[in-house]
Amino acid sequence: MSENNGKSDIISLTKVGKSFWRGKERLDVLKELDLTMKEGSFEALMGPSGSGKSTLLNLIAGLDVPTSGSLKVAGSELSQMTEGDRAGFRAANIGFVFQTYNLMPVLTALENVELPLLLTNLPAAERKKRAETALKLVGLGERMGHYPRQLSGGQEQRVTIARAIVTDPKIIVADEPTGDLDRESANDILNLLGRLNTELGKTIVMVTHDPAAAERATVCHRLDKGALAL
Amino acid sequence: MTLFGIAARNIGRNKLRTSLTVAVVAIATLFFIMLRTVVWSWTSASEFAAKDRIATRHKVSFVMQLPKRYAEEIAQMPGVTAVCYANWFGGKDPKNENDFFATIATDPASLLKVYPEIKTSEAQKEAWIADRQGALIGDSLAKKKGWKVGDKITLAGSIFPGNWDFNISGIYTTTTTNVDRATVWFHWDYLNESLPERSKDKVGWIVSNISDPGASGRISKAVDAKFDERDLQTITMSEAALNQSFLGMFSAILKAIDLVSIVMIAIMGLIVGNTIAMGVRERTNEYGVLRAIGFLPKHVAQFVLGEALVIGIVGGVVGLALGYPFVNLGVGRFLEENMGQMFPQFRVQPMIALMAFGLAIGLAIVAAILPARKAASLQVVESLRRVG
Amino acid sequence: MIPISYNVRSLMVRKTTTFATAGGIALVVFVMAAAMMLSAGVKKTMVAGGRPDNAIVTRKGSGAELSSSIENNAVSLILAAPGVKKDEAGAPLGSGETVVVIAQEKLGGVAGQVSNVLVRGVPDNVLKVRPDVHIISGRPAKPGTDECIIGKNLVGNYAGMNLGEKFDLKKNRPVEVVGVFEAGGSSFESEVWASLETARSSFGREGLVSSVTVRLESPAAFDRFKATIETDKQLLLEAERETTYYEKQSQATAIFVSVLGWVIVVFCMFGATLGAMNTMFAAVAQRKREVGTLRALGFSKFNILTSFVVESVVLAVIGGLVGLVASLLLTFAHVSLMNQASWSEITFTFAATPNILIGAIVAGCGMGIIGGFLPAMKAAGTSPIEAMRG
């Protein structure tokens, strides 16, 4: 199903189901989902608590595997991959922005951004250069040597975003990125994400409660009880 | 920036906890050094035993005596180059009865020949040999008692009753730890002439120098065979074997010390392991983020182990830094002077220091294995779940 | 006052940490109790051999039986001294004994390893003077023969020391073990008892004894007995109550064990207390919000302080009890140590006295209080609002 501006599907789910077992009880969190996302799109996933939106995000990001169905992301069939392979997949293709606990307190902003590059073969000097570039891009060129405790919530999230793009992944996955922030900082972050989408062509998949955040997205999906609401 | 570098920095997160844990490792290291030094000091005498000396005693009992004539007969045997005999006197300082030191009656000239480790000035040697009432005192004992050459001292006899006067002819020191520096050596003749007829001319033990150290076994057997038919039989063995035999009598204590070392290691392991585990539990989310970014379970394990390693190294270094002065300048001095019989030398040996350091590190790592495995086996999604 | 159940539940929630910390304290208390019990055991074994109404006479200045020798003719003088009890036939209850240590090969250890065993040459009436000694297998030695009886602690530990076996006291002078005796847990149980004549002639001590033990008419008769014995300038003897004598004999060993034990314990206590402190600091940090809630509900800083100290103490006491119970298992064990004064190997047991048990628990509590105090102070200083925000 590829059309519209000549862009192809970067994410496609076919009859994807995800179940968890709590003791003997089986919980079907996602039920036979069919979903596609185009490359370069800014997608929002919304829904009440327990609707399965975070679970869906985890599947797309390669953090978890579906119980049934097929899941193709950035050209890889994730449902067949081992945990080790998925780790490599994530390192190459996904950038992460979580709500909290993103940064390592013992590392400076620059070092935190450098972290994903440790998984590559790049020499130290090159790693530093790329990290600096990413930090400047998010507007924190002046704070490279600061520790997370010396940064505000909004600045911390910006560092997180810098880290998310430093390996130049195709997809940025964000789980409630503005959840802990005040209105003004939240706007800054959303603006930044928007720029990554429009200027750098990154595909963004974002889970959010916030209607204002959802408005920035080009596509909005609603989930209810593990199925897409129409 | 490396994984190990980050792990090392992690110890700075909670300085209080790290300090306490490092303190525990340091204490355990210090304690280990002390215990092993006690054992080493105690057993070292047997390592420095002279290879060319054999000792002969009464076959049945350490406290029974042999005829002096045996010494003369042994001196005639092939392979024996010099012989000396001695009696345990068991004297006490009347001013301080609880003070224990050895008092031994011997033949001065042959003692110094058979024990070249005992060193004194030529003048003092001559003076001692010439004075029947003379005594040669160990420098450690002399220092403790404040005795000097020329002093007259009186010792109370326990086995041989009465007060016995001696003139301090000389003070000796030793070149090895094998011979202790707290003995009062005096003339066997002085003792013998005061004994009743039926107790005369007896010796407690006989020490012989042999020309060929490799023949000590053969010569020992020959000595015992010679006296086997007599009324009073002997048992002869190399000095090393004799020292080992004495040590063996204290085997229970040495075993207890070993056991305690193990217990200490266990305590330390529990505490360090607990600290690491607490850290792991608190950083679950962080490990989750690392896994999400693409780090593998083994990387997470390396983090945990790296942190433990640094704690082990720092703790080990602190323990050594405390250990050297504590043992060499503090406890060691005290023991050498006051319990010189048992602990002729009490110093930190390089081997022990190395072992202690290795132990600190090794144990920190072992203690961290379980927490590391736990951290590595965490499911990514579980770790990311927000807590609280 | 915050209920203790809160503390107990909190401890149960973090099971692993609780067990690890309590485990460390258990080990420390175990080691401490073991050292103290061995020291008490040494004293108990030595003193068990003595009766307050027995007196032991040795040569003046000898310090121990092993170094002492008393002429035969002095023995009858000693037995005639005032205060000595007479038996039903009118003879004085006393025994002159000769004591020697022999080097016997130990079984079950390094080949050829010897240890010193104390051999006591005893007269035929010895069991009257020492009625606490009972033959538990075999029979008493026949007077005037080369038979001997051995204390139960020797059985099977040395070459030749078993019922029916023989060992040499002197060349061509073997003694046969015809009986095994127990002696109320005293050091006699590590001795060989042969007839006085056999011992004297084997060791060339004809005409001499090492010591004379007498039964007094009553413990109070001791002073007069002692005065009489010690005033004789010819004989140069000294008399001591048997209980005092044996206590002195054990002193060096008991002190040695104590000192070694205490050094070990101090180190271990340091380590375990720091461990407890670590655990409590972590607990305080983890429960910041809880503490804030408690404060908001109205509990005072002092309440919080005591609550956390109590928690630390509960933790320590749990560990302490486990360690203590484990140490009680030691009472079934035996340790053979070289006793300094008698220069012979004696088997000691671990004696659990009430003082030790209480002392161990107190030490455990102490570690809990000291370890928990600083963290508790920190918890108490938590402001409710800050805590709930965090």
Side-chain angles (χ1 to χ4, degrees):
Chain A
M1 297 186 279
S2 36
E3 351 111 5
N4 292 3
N5 313 326
K7 284 285 166 80
S8 54
D9 291 339
I10 193 170
I11 296 165
S12 60
L13 287 85
T14 316
K15 293 212 176 338
V16 164
K18 179 68 185 173
S19 308
F20 292 101
W21 273 262
R22 209 194 300 172
K24 292 242 167 81
E25 215 187 308
R26 188 175 108 167
L27 293 147
D28 295 325
V29 179
L30 295 176
K31 300 171 183 140
E32 300 232 331
L33 230 51
D34 289 316
L35 180 59
T36 57
M37 296 181 182
K38 297 232 174 292
E39 188 173 352
S41 148
F42 190 150
E43 316 251 341
L45 297 176
M46 299 192 71
S49 256
S51 55
K53 55 189 193 298
S54 284
T55 308
L56 178 56
L57 192 69
N58 288 341
L59 290 179
I60 291 172
L63 291 171
D64 206 351
V65 272
T67 317
S68 58
S70 134
L71 168 57
K72 224 166 165 207
V73 180
S76 304
E77 175 55 58
L78 294 187
S79 56
Q80 307 298 338
M81 288 174 111
T82 62
E83 170 55 46
D85 291 338
R86 278 186 284 119
F89 164 81
R90 295 195 297 268
N93 296 295
I94 316 279
F96 287 91
V97 181
F98 297 108
Q99 183 173 348
T100 47
Y101 302 114
N102 281 295
L103 304 178
M104 298 201 75
V106 293
L107 301 179
T108 61
L110 185 66
E111 288 166 337
N112 266 297
V113 175
E114 248 189 274
L115 215 44
L117 296 173
L118 287 180
L119 292 163
T120 65
N121 293 328
L122 294 171
E126 180 63 33
R127 290 201 304 255
K128 229 174 144 207
K129 198 160 135 239
R130 294 203 192 184
E132 280 175 14
T133 312
L135 270 174
K136 287 197 187 115
L137 205 130
V138 302
L140 284 177
E142 318 279 274
R143 300 246 190 242
M144 296 199 279
H146 283 145
Y147 287 94
R149 63 176 178 276
Q150 295 166 309
L151 302 172
S152 71
Q155 288 168 332
E156 276 194 60
Q157 281 302 56
R158 282 200 264 163
V159 173
T160 303
I161 292 175
R163 185 189 70 199
I165 58 172
V166 78
T167 50
D168 201 24
K170 293 204 173 71
I171 303 170
I172 307 234
V173 150
D175 193 347
E176 310 268 11
T178 58
D180 272 2
L181 302 176
D182 60 85
R183 193 75 262 157
E184 200 185 315
S185 307
N187 274 335
D188 283 339
I189 296 302
L190 291 168
N191 288 339
L192 190 47
L193 286 174
R195 279 177 52 215
L196 293 179
N197 178 245
T198 54
E199 289 170 29
L200 297 181
K202 304 275 179 224
T203 310
I204 306 197
V205 183
M206 178 176 73
V207 158
T208 184
H209 270 129
D210 185 1
E215 258 170 48
R216 310 294 191 108
T218 51
V219 184
C220 191
H221 305 277
R222 283 187 191 281
L223 275 131
D224 196 9
K225 294 197 184 43
L228 285 166
L230 296 145
Chain B
M1 191 167 83
T2 59
L3 274 185
F4 181 72
I6 302 175
R9 278 199 261 181
N10 261 335
I11 68 171
R13 285 167 87 130
N14 190 336
K15 293 196 174 63
L16 177 63
R17 176 184 300 170
T18 302
S19 313
L20 289 176
T21 313
V22 162
V24 170
V25 174
I27 287 175
T29 308
L30 173 63
F31 183 59
F32 184 80
I33 291 177
M34 269 220 17
L35 282 184
R36 295 305 343 145
T37 306
V38 166
V39 172
W40 169 83
S41 177
W42 218 341
T43 61
S44 68
S46 76
E47 274 152 46
F48 289 107
K51 297 197 190 353
D52 61 349
R53 273 201 299 259
I54 56 176
T56 304
R57 64 163 172 89
H58 189 291
K59 185 174 183 189
V60 173
S61 166
F62 282 101
V63 308
M64 302 261 302
Q65 303 192 302
L66 298 167
K68 175 166 177 252
R69 146 176 60 84
Y70 279 25
E72 287 146 27
E73 291 188 54
I74 291 176
Q76 307 297 334
M77 291 178 70
V80 176
T81 55
V83 158
C84 103
Y85 47 84
N87 281 26
W88 182 267
F89 179 72
K92 287 190 262 204
D93 178 6
K95 294 196 209 96
N96 202 336
E97 292 225 346
N98 282 327
D99 227 359
F100 178 78
F101 52 90
T103 21
I104 305 179
T106 183
D107 175 55
S110 43
L111 175 82
L112 293 173
K113 181 145 190 262
V114 171
Y115 285 93
E117 305 96 312
I118 299 182
K119 291 252 177 287
T120 184
S121 78
E122 201 55 39
Q124 290 180 4
K125 176 180 168 188
E126 299 295 320
W128 184 37
I129 293 178
D131 182 2
R132 208 180 182 74
Q133 261 191 297
L136 184 69
I137 316 260
D139 56 352
S140 187
L141 181 65
K143 181 172 168 199
K144 185 173 166 202
K145 294 278 191 196
W147 289 339
K148 286 184 278 306
V149 175
D151 284 355
K152 288 200 194 317
I153 60 171
T154 305
L155 295 178
S158 57
I159 306 173
F160 305 100
N163 287 330
W164 297 70
D165 297 321
F166 300 98
N167 307 320
I168 300 185
S169 319
I171 299 197
Y172 74 88
T173 186
T174 61
T175 54
T176 67
T177 58
N178 191 29
V179 182
D180 82 68
R181 291 150 62 193
T183 302
V184 175
W185 301 96
F186 65 94
H187 284 243
W188 183 88
D189 289 332
Y190 180 47
L191 170 65
N192 198 43
E193 70 194 12
S194 317
L195 296 177
E197 204 53 46
R198 57 111 159 265
S199 306
K200 272 202 198 326
D201 298 335
K202 298 215 170 87
V203 297
W205 66 93
I206 300 165
V207 182
S208 318
N209 271 18
I210 56 177
S211 53
D212 174 16
S216 75
R218 181 175 54 77
I219 298 179
S220 298
K221 283 201 178 56
V223 170
D224 292 340
K226 185 185 185 61
F227 298 112
D228 192 47
E229 291 308 307
R230 317 274 181 95
D231 228 24
L232 297 175
Q233 298 164 300
T234 60
I235 181 166
T236 308
M237 61 183 83
S238 71
E239 191 168 277
L242 187 68
N243 287 349
Q244 267 301 104
S245 179
F246 270 120
L247 265 183
M249 292 198 235
F250 291 95
S251 64
I253 298 196
L254 291 169
K255 270 198 209 115
I257 293 182
D258 279 342
L259 204 63
V260 169
S261 303
I262 294 178
V263 168
M264 188 66 189
I265 290 172
I267 295 177
M268 188 187 120
L270 275 174
I271 295 176
V272 173
N274 192 28
T275 302
I276 305 279
M278 286 196 286
V280 164
R281 245 172 274 136
E282 284 160 16
R283 293 180 220 149
T284 314
N285 293 110
E286 242 172 77
Y287 295 143
V289 171
L290 287 174
R291 291 283 301 276
I293 296 177
F295 286 94
L296 298 166
K298 72 174 185 193
H299 294 131
V300 172
Q302 281 168 19
F303 254 124
V304 177
L305 290 172
E307 207 174 312
L309 181 63
V310 173
I311 289 181
I313 292 176
V314 175
V317 167
V318 173
L320 282 175
L322 289 174
Y324 269 91
F326 188 65
V327 170
N328 288 358
L329 301 176
V331 175
R333 277 288 134 82
F334 175 77
L335 286 177
E336 279 175 19
E337 268 155 41
N338 293 305
M339 292 181 74
Q341 317 280 359
M342 285 177 89
F343 305 112
Q345 232 202 15
F346 204 83
R347 295 286 140 103
V348 180
Q349 295 304 103
M351 200 64 235
I352 292 179
L354 209 62
M355 260 173 66
F357 189 65
L359 180 77
I361 295 179
L363 199 51
I365 292 187
V366 167
I369 287 183
L370 275 179
R373 282 181 77 177
K374 186 141 188 264
S377 66
L378 286 171
Q379 299 280 40
V380 189
V381 175
E382 285 299 318
S383 319
L384 290 172
R385 211 174 287 283
R386 276 156 267 163
V387 175
Chain C
M1 185 56 211
I2 301 173
I4 296 193
S5 55
Y6 164 67
N7 301 116
V8 173
R9 297 233 187 99
S10 304
L11 285 173
M12 286 292 97
V13 164
R14 35 184 236 268
K15 276 203 194 69
T16 326
T17 298
T18 300
F19 283 146
T21 313
I25 294 183
L27 282 171
V28 173
V29 170
F30 175 79
V31 171
M32 182 165 123
M36 295 207 288
M37 278 162 53
L38 185 58
S39 185
V42 166
K43 287 219 180 79
K44 180 169 165 224
T45 298
M46 294 308 294
V47 172
R51 300 170 56 107
D53 61 348
N54 269 8
I56 185 165
V57 179
T58 49
R59 217 253 324 281
K60 186 166 184 204
S62 59
E65 283 182 291
L66 205 57
S67 320
S68 154
S69 52
I70 300 176
E71 305 269 334
N72 257 355
N73 43 30
V75 176
S76 39
L77 286 172
I78 294 169
L79 291 177
V84 178
K85 190 167 179 176
K86 312 264 186 295
D87 67 13
E88 58 289 340
L93 271 177
S95 81
E97 297 166 356
T98 293
V99 156
V100 167
V101 286
I102 59 172
Q104 272 301 95
E105 184 176 342
K106 281 204 86 160
L107 296 175
V110 177
Q113 178 62 47
V114 293
S115 211
N116 284 346
V117 177
L118 199 132
V119 175
R120 188 179 292 271
V122 295
D124 305 328
N125 69 340
V126 67
L127 291 178
K128 281 206 203 141
V129 183
R130 303 189 195 282
D132 299 320
V133 175
H134 303 110
I135 305 276
I136 53 176
S137 63
R139 56 171 174 79
K142 277 206 215 76
T145 62
D146 279 349
E147 292 177 347
C148 71
I149 54 177
I150 60 176
K152 67 184 224 241
N153 286 333
L154 294 175
V155 176
N157 286 328
Y158 292 90
M161 297 209 181
N162 236 317
L163 208 50
E165 286 180 20
K166 294 189 189 183
F167 58 93
D168 277 348
L169 272 192
K170 187 189 154 114
K171 179 182 170 186
N172 299 333
R173 197 76 194 261
V175 288
E176 186 184 350
V177 180
V178 298
V180 176
F181 66 87
E182 66 91 18
S186 69
S187 57
F188 295 137
E189 289 176 352
S190 301
E191 293 180 3
V192 172
W193 284 13
S195 87
L196 188 56
E197 289 320 310
T198 306
R200 285 207 280 214
S201 61
S202 299
F203 301 125
R205 300 273 171 102
E206 292 88 344
L208 292 172
V209 293
S210 305
S211 64
V212 179
T213 303
V214 299
R215 171 73 56 77
L216 300 167
E217 278 154 5
S218 74
F222 176 71
D223 293 322
R224 190 153 161 246
F225 175 77
K226 178 183 166 88
T228 311
I229 295 292
E230 293 190 353
T231 43
D232 190 325
K233 296 278 186 292
Q234 294 282 68
L235 294 177
L236 289 176
L237 301 166
E238 59 189 9
E240 267 192 291
R241 246 185 244 282
E242 215 180 14
T243 42
T244 320
Y245 172 76
Y246 280 112
E247 209 179 300
K248 280 206 200 144
Q249 294 295 294
S250 70
Q251 227 176 31
T253 305
I255 289 178
F256 178 76
V257 171
S258 289
V259 168
L260 193 61
W262 277 110
V263 167
I264 291 168
V265 164
V266 165
F267 269 97
C268 291
M269 278 178 78
F270 246 107
T273 307
L274 289 177
M277 214 184 278
N278 230 354
T279 301
M280 290 310 297
F281 268 122
V284 166
Q286 193 191 36
R287 281 141 68 180
K288 231 170 132 184
R289 202 173 278 181
E290 254 171 64
V291 173
T293 310
L294 286 170
R295 294 269 283 122
L297 285 175
F299 288 100
S300 70
K301 284 190 183 187
F302 186 70
N303 287 141
I304 304 282
L305 178 72
T306 34
S307 178
F308 273 96
V309 171
V310 162
E311 187 163 324
S312 183
V313 169
V314 168
L315 182 60
V317 167
I318 292 175
L321 282 173
V322 170
L324 197 57
V325 167
S327 74
L328 288 177
L329 289 174
L330 288 175
T331 51
F332 295 112
H334 298 283
V335 175
S336 292
L337 293 179
M338 190 67 152
N339 188 40
Q340 304 273 49
S342 64
W343 214 36
S344 56
E345 192 167 285
I346 301 184
T347 302
F348 299 107
T349 52
F350 290 89
T353 70
N355 275 353
I356 293 176
L357 298 179
I358 294 175
I361 294 294
V362 167
C365 286
M367 284 192 272
I369 293 178
I370 297 176
F373 192 71
L374 289 177
M377 291 272 295
K378 187 154 185 235
T382 309
S383 111
I385 298 176
E386 261 181 50
M388 300 215 272
R389 192 188 295 160

